[in-house]
Amino acid sequence: MAIIEVTNLKKSFGTLDVLKQITFQVNKNDVVAVIGPSGSGKSTMLRSLVHLEQINGGSINVAGDYLVKDGVYSKPQEIKRITSKMGMVFQHFNLFPHLTVQENLELAPKMVKREPSAELRRRSTGLLEKVGLAERASAYPAKLSGGQKQRVAIARALMMNPEILLFDEPTSALDPELTGEVLQVMKSLAEEHMTMIVVTHEMGFAKEVANQVMFMDHGEIIETGHPEQLFTTPRFDRTKAFLNRSWQ
């Protein structure tokens, strides 16, 4: 059953069409890897799902509710409710430098959901254990490596109990030796059947972990398929050319 349905999504910046009639769906428990060259519209598409970008046309349905239908957005309170079903992990972590790791995790549910402190502490401690950072709970972000910061960012997104996790190139700001620790956490989430959409340049991750790969170029979805099919026998020349460059 589709948990996200996107239909004829359009987005322009001035005269530049960034997204052109984007249509796809994501089923519950899917791990969808979105690949493609820089500037192909991948991040804009992802940000549109959580209303960080406002689209110019089309529809986005999340778990049965329309965030936007035929270019008309729901009311602000509805938008807030629908987007709360999704958690977003960004390229550059966006941690609050003046808060400890544990305080970074607990801030949003404390402010938004008014959860009791004891429950927040129980969940944040559990999630830090899950991402392998229990011993860094009282550390400040400046004392963490890039990989550790990104693992904290993943735990923070999970604190809001999202149905879907969106990742916008979560390893592209990391040194290669730190990339593996973040991908391992994401792989563990996939094994727990978390629904995920991952914009990534990590072809190995897409091939191993995703059950669906979407190739975008120039604001269009050129090809979608199972990793085994798309990586070994792509149907379109643009896909082949991109993959040849990516694996070199």
Side-chain angles (χ1 to χ4, degrees), residues 123-152:
R123 291 205 299 116
S124 63
T125 299
L127 284 170
L128 287 174
E129 286 176 6
K130 184 185 185 77
V131 300
L133 289 171
E135 77 288 351
R136 304 311 303 259
S138 59
Y140 288 90
K143 299 294 185 182
L144 304 181
S145 70
Q148 289 172 330
K149 289 176 186 175
Q150 194 60 291
R151 285 187 280 154
V152 172

Side-chain angles (χ1 to χ4, degrees), residues 4 53 55 81 95 161 164 178 189 197 223 225 242:
I4 294 179
E53 297 285 357
I55 64 163
R81 184 182 68 81
L95 301 179
N161 293 318
I164 304 150
L178 300 177
L189 290 171
I197 305 177
E223 186 166 352
F242 172 77

Side-chain angles (χ1 to χ4, degrees), residues 49-248:
L49 298 180
V50 286
H51 199 230
L52 291 175
E53 297 285 357
Q54 189 149 332
I55 64 163
N56 301 116
S59 303
I60 299 171
N61 187 294
V62 181
D65 294 313
Y66 278 102
L67 174 69
V68 54
K69 185 173 184 181
D70 298 327
V72 179
Y73 277 91
S74 295
K75 293 178 180 177
Q77 200 60 31
E78 269 295 281
I79 289 173
K80 190 175 179 181
R81 184 182 68 81
I82 293 166
T83 55
S84 73
K85 298 176 184 181
M86 297 174 279
M88 183 99 171
V89 178
F90 298 91
Q91 183 177 343
H92 291 294
F93 329 129
N94 295 344
L95 301 179
F96 292 106
H98 64 291
L99 299 180
T100 66
V101 164
Q102 199 144 31
E103 288 166 346
N104 264 282
L105 264 65
E106 295 173 1
L107 181 64
K110 182 179 180 180
M111 303 287 287
V112 176
K113 296 187 174 183
R114 302 281 196 269
E115 289 187 37
S117 297
E119 172 63 12
L120 286 175
R121 186 52 46 102
R122 184 191 68 78
R123 291 205 299 116
S124 63
T125 299
L127 284 170
L128 287 174
E129 286 176 6
K130 184 185 185 77
V131 300
L133 289 171
E135 77 288 351
R136 304 311 303 259
S138 59
Y140 288 90
K143 299 294 185 182
L144 304 181
S145 70
Q148 289 172 330
K149 289 176 186 175
Q150 194 60 291
R151 285 187 280 154
V152 172
I154 294 170
R156 182 179 60 180
L158 290 169
M159 278 292 287
M160 298 298 284
N161 293 318
E163 296 179 45
I164 304 150
L165 270 185
L166 311 177
F167 293 85
D168 189 8
E169 300 193 9
T171 60
S172 62
L174 302 179
D175 294 332
E177 64 268 22
L178 300 177
T179 294
E181 64 190 55
V182 174
L183 294 180
Q184 187 55 50
V185 170
M186 294 167 64
K187 186 177 178 182
S188 297
L189 290 171
E191 289 167 354
E192 294 168 11
H193 307 295
M194 170 63 77
T195 306
M196 300 194 287
I197 305 177
V198 185
V199 171
T200 184
H201 290 295
E202 296 290 337
M203 297 299 137
F205 173 84
K207 193 171 186 180
E208 180 187 358
V209 180
N211 68 306
Q212 182 180 338
V213 180
M214 198 159 74
F215 170 63
M216 289 182 67
D217 194 15
H218 292 105
E220 300 175 295
I221 297 174
I222 306 301
E223 186 166 352
T224 301
H226 188 274
E228 190 173 338
Q229 175 269 310
L230 192 137
F231 283 115
T232 55
T233 55
R235 290 174 292 142
F236 296 96
D237 289 339
R238 280 157 79 179
T239 315
K240 291 175 189 174
F242 172 77
L243 292 175
N244 285 338
R245 290 195 304 273
S246 299
W247 289 113
Q248 286 174 1

